[in-house]
Amino acid sequence: MAKRKAESLESDPALPCYLIDLLPRRAPEERAAQYSALEGYFRRKKESKGLARRLVRLFMKLHCYEELFLRVGIGWKRCPPPEQLEKGLRACLTGESAAMEFGIGRGKTRLLLESGDLYLSLYTADRACAELVSQLAWSEGLFFRRLDG
């Protein structure tokens, strides 16, 4: 279930990684079929829309505290309006579009949603930012945990 990192993050693999996920911990290998069924369920149109809305609310709340940027090609632009963000997130969640990478503030903090994944990866050395994102994830019914290893 391990995924590749976005190219822009490969330059600093020392950044701690946290996950914003539907599950509180990684599903055991012997439950792979059940996890696969869960993934299929959440990629359906109605469920992917609900998950995308939760993520949009998380981003909009985070934007109240920090500036958010979306990687576009080799550059960055300000985070799009909620409706456009939801559309992009849904396409990414269902695997219909490429990965989405967000920059938080002016530091190296990044949020990454790989195409087809149902979790976000947060790369940051900023503990205060990680704590804030954790609280915002919980407010949307999502789990937050550090990825070990």
Side-chain angles (χ1 to χ4, degrees), residues 3-70:
K3 296 281 184 174
R4 68 202 178 286
K5 295 179 189 174
E7 289 178 22
S8 62
L9 295 172
E10 289 179 355
S11 61
D12 195 354
L15 284 177
C17 180
Y18 302 86
L19 298 182
I20 300 164
D21 201 350
L22 294 167
L23 299 175
R25 61 181 180 267
R26 186 178 179 151
E29 293 296 325
E30 63 269 12
R31 305 299 297 167
Q34 290 75 17
Y35 181 78
S36 181
L38 174 81
E39 285 183 316
Y41 177 78
F42 274 97
R43 285 193 182 108
R44 291 186 193 142
K45 186 174 182 177
K46 184 177 179 180
E47 293 306 317
S48 68
K49 187 174 186 176
L51 180 55
R53 284 184 176 164
R54 284 198 267 177
L55 294 176
V56 167
R57 289 190 301 260
L58 184 148
F59 280 110
M60 294 297 96
K61 292 173 185 178
L62 181 57
H63 199 45
C64 290
Y65 298 95
E66 296 283 350
E67 193 69 43
L68 292 178
F69 301 92
L70 176 62

Side-chain angles (χ1 to χ4, degrees), residues 50-116:
L51 180 55
R53 284 184 176 164
R54 284 198 267 177
L55 294 176
V56 167
R57 289 190 301 260
L58 184 148
F59 280 110
M60 294 297 96
K61 292 173 185 178
L62 181 57
H63 199 45
C64 290
Y65 298 95
E66 296 283 350
E67 193 69 43
L68 292 178
F69 301 92
L70 176 62
R71 180 176 287 283
V72 179
I74 60 169
W76 295 91
K77 72 175 190 176
R78 292 202 185 277
C79 197
E83 296 77 18
Q84 287 180 335
L85 184 56
E86 181 182 331
K87 185 177 179 182
L89 287 168
R90 283 185 65 202
C92 195
L93 287 167
T94 59
E96 297 170 12
S97 73
M100 295 179 76
E101 182 180 355
F102 297 86
I104 300 174
R106 301 278 180 220
K108 292 183 177 183
T109 299
R110 301 285 185 266
L111 271 165
L112 177 67
L113 178 62
E114 292 278 5
S115 182

